[in-house]
Amino acid sequence: ITRGRRAMYVSAACLYIVCRQEKNSVMLIDFTDVLRVSVFKLGATFAKLVNLLNLQLPIVDPSLYIARFAGMLQFGDKTQQVIVDASRLVQRMDRDWIRTGRRPAGICGACLLIAARLHNFRRTQREIMQVVKIADTTLRRRLDELRLTPSGNLSVSDFRGLWLEQSADPPAFTNNRIKARRAMLAQQEQQQQQSESTETPLQRLARTGNHLQTQEGNPTNNTETGDEQINVVDFDGNVDRAFAEEFASYLQAESLKFITSDMANDDFNPDVSTWSDMDDDEVNNVILNDEEVRTKTEMWDRENKEFMEELERKRQARELDEGARKRRKQTRKKVALPGATPLESAQNMLATRRLSKKINYEVLGKLLGNQGSKPKVGPAHAGMIPSGAPSRMISVAGTPMYGSGYTTPT
């Protein structure tokens, strides 16, 4: 069992097992503080030993640690009274199913905090957390669970002199019921919103009108229905507004879209001048004839002359810029014509392409035995070599020698 495990972990786990069997107030985290190791590593070793040895350890009673933690919180001469009240709270939590499945440190922290407040000791949650070594979330959760029980509604005198025989439901069961009720209320609210969104104004008015008929004997002029308030005197105005809203909703309905689709399928000419069946004077006054169209166009051009000129200048500048970009992108392709012999082909290749700056092309031309003759180049580079250029400026391959870095050997 001990193979592969540190002797320090095994010894601490064995000592903690004995403390649990003897119902001592020493906790597992106390061993980790002394050994300066992780509580999870030591807890894993403890759980492994318990499983391998088939040990049946008693359940930890939080009352064992109340006296120890109360002494660390320094209540003075009222320490025993705080311990009694905290132990009574532990028993009450056990009665209300709060202690079951919970670690004893959280139960002790919540009970000590409440007992300290009962005796007018101002102990903060941070002080309780440092002594009991729990998180603030755990402490608040234990306090909330106790608050939801019948014992949480008792006064100080009733708590000390009265013992409730009834027990509350387990916290997990209560939380599930609260979540289920919230989900049901949210679903009902969503259904109500959907029904109100589909209800037409006339239906809403009819529903409120029926309620008005039941309130005829009421001398007041205002009647409230839920979250709505209806003025009986202005009932006719409400009817008119309801009709207007419903008529507008009918005009925007999907059933009227077939009209526009039929107009799109027919041979519909959008040119107004071709419409011959218009006899409305207002429409005829809106349509302009040719002379009015020309006059209005001239007026628009005159008023927006500067804008049109600026727009034309931008267009021309953009075209010039695009043309310059195209010219920069165009590069001359070097074309090397095939020679009749390998020597001539090599000379033509050297004329169209420089292989390296480290090559002395004049010496290379002498090696090839062609000092005086010019190589053949393609039409794209025919004008690159001037006819009257001196021989020292042109290598055998037709490439200028300036900047080559080499001198001609003598």
Side-chain angles (χ1 to χ4, degrees):
I1 297 176
T2 60
R3 289 184 180 179
R5 296 180 178 84
R6 293 187 178 183
M8 180 173 57
Y9 292 172
V10 176
S11 301
C14 293
L15 288 175
Y16 180 66
I17 291 173
V18 175
C19 292
R20 287 281 298 271
Q21 292 176 346
E22 298 295 332
K23 295 184 179 182
N24 196 291
S25 62
V26 180
M27 302 176 67
L28 183 64
I29 197 171
D30 299 330
F31 289 96
T32 60
D33 291 340
V34 174
L35 300 177
R36 297 183 182 275
V37 296
S38 175
V39 67
F40 298 103
K41 293 182 179 180
L42 188 58
T45 304
F46 163 72
K48 192 71 174 179
L49 289 177
V50 171
N51 292 332
L52 292 176
L53 297 176
N54 295 323
L55 299 176
Q56 298 294 332
L57 297 180
I59 299 176
V60 179
D61 187 6
S63 302
L64 298 175
Y65 308 101
I66 292 294
R68 172 190 171 186
F69 293 144
M72 297 172 65
L73 289 172
Q74 299 178 358
F75 292 113
D77 54 351
K78 291 187 178 181
T79 302
Q80 190 62 32
Q81 300 177 9
V82 173
I83 292 174
V84 172
D85 290 338
S87 301
R88 187 179 179 85
L89 284 169
V90 171
Q91 296 175 4
R92 188 68 251 181
M93 285 187 173
D94 189 13
R95 181 78 175 179
D96 294 332
W97 296 90
I98 299 177
R99 189 177 72 87
T100 305
R102 303 294 196 279
R103 292 184 178 181
I107 302 296
C108 292
C111 295
L112 284 173
L113 180 61
I114 298 174
R117 299 292 175 84
L118 292 178
H119 292 276
N120 298 324
F121 286 102
R122 188 64 180 176
R123 295 293 183 267
T124 62
Q125 294 185 9
R126 183 176 297 275
E127 293 175 353
I128 299 295
M129 290 159 45
Q130 291 176 354
V131 171
V132 185
K133 297 179 181 179
I134 57 175
D136 56 344
T137 306
T138 305
L139 182 59
R140 286 196 297 267
R141 191 172 297 173
R142 298 292 90 81
L143 293 174
D144 292 338
E145 291 174 354
L146 182 61
R147 179 177 56 84
L148 297 176
T149 60
S151 301
N153 299 324
L154 297 177
S155 62
V156 177
S157 58
D158 292 340
F159 173 75
R160 290 173 178 172
L162 181 62
W163 178 260
L164 298 178
E165 295 296 335
Q166 60 179 356
S167 61
D169 294 327
F173 179 77
T174 305
N175 293 335
N176 290 334
R177 290 184 61 183
I178 294 174
K179 291 180 181 179
R181 181 169 180 79
R182 289 177 180 175
M184 183 178 64
L185 292 176
Q187 185 178 3
Q188 292 178 357
E189 184 178 358
Q190 184 178 4
Q191 292 177 356
Q192 184 178 2
Q193 291 178 357
Q194 292 178 356
S195 62
E196 290 179 356
S197 61
T198 56
E199 186 179 15
T200 62
L202 288 178
Q203 292 176 350
R204 190 182 309 111
L205 188 62
R207 175 171 54 84
T208 55
N210 293 334
H211 184 76
L212 278 177
Q213 292 178 1
T214 60
Q215 301 291 336
E216 290 180 354
N218 192 355
T220 60
N221 292 331
N222 294 336
T223 305
E224 296 184 358
T225 59
D227 56 348
E228 299 178 356
Q229 186 175 6
I230 302 171
N231 194 342
V232 180
V233 179
D234 197 23
F235 186 75
D236 294 337
N238 293 334
V239 173
D240 295 338
R241 284 193 296 271
F243 271 112
E245 292 177 4
E246 188 163 358
F247 185 71
S249 64
Y250 283 149
L251 291 178
Q252 298 175 0
E254 297 289 336
S255 59
L256 295 181
K257 288 187 176 180
F258 72 92
I259 299 177
T260 57
S261 62
D262 292 343
M263 292 177 63
N265 295 330
D266 295 340
D267 297 333
F268 179 74
N269 190 357
D271 189 4
V272 183
S273 60
T274 60
W275 297 356
S276 60
D277 55 348
M278 292 189 305
D279 54 356
D280 195 346
D281 295 337
E282 293 182 0
V283 177
N284 292 329
N285 293 332
V286 173
I287 299 175
L288 304 179
N289 54 26
D290 296 340
E291 183 65 23
E292 292 174 344
V293 170
R294 184 168 56 256
T295 303
K296 194 170 184 178
T297 303
E298 293 176 357
M299 291 176 59
W300 191 91
D301 293 339
R302 185 168 57 254
E303 293 292 335
N304 300 277
K305 182 179 180 180
E306 296 180 358
F307 171 74
M308 297 300 296
E309 290 177 354
E310 182 66 22
L311 192 64
E312 182 65 20
R313 283 196 297 271
K314 290 182 180 180
R315 185 186 63 81
Q316 293 178 0
R318 187 166 56 254
E319 290 180 354
L320 291 175
D321 190 15
E322 292 178 356
R325 290 181 181 177
K326 291 181 180 179
R327 286 194 297 271
R328 286 197 298 268
K329 289 181 180 179
Q330 292 178 356
T331 57
R332 295 182 178 180
K333 296 182 179 180
K334 299 179 180 180
V335 181
L337 297 177
T341 61
L343 178 61
E344 187 176 355
S345 298
Q347 293 175 352
N348 293 337
M349 186 270 295
L350 293 175
T352 57
R353 180 182 177 186
R354 291 195 63 170
L355 299 177
S356 176
K357 293 182 179 179
K358 298 181 180 180
I359 298 176
N360 193 334
Y361 290 95
E362 186 175 356
V363 177
L364 183 61
K366 290 181 180 181
L367 294 177
L368 294 177
N370 189 12
Q371 294 87 351
S373 60
K374 296 181 180 179
K376 297 180 182 179
V377 295
H381 296 274
M384 294 180 61
I385 305 175
S387 59
S391 59
R392 67 176 182 273
M393 296 176 58
I394 307 172
S395 66
V396 174
T399 307
M401 294 302 300
Y402 299 115
S404 61
Y406 292 91
T407 59
T408 304
T410 55

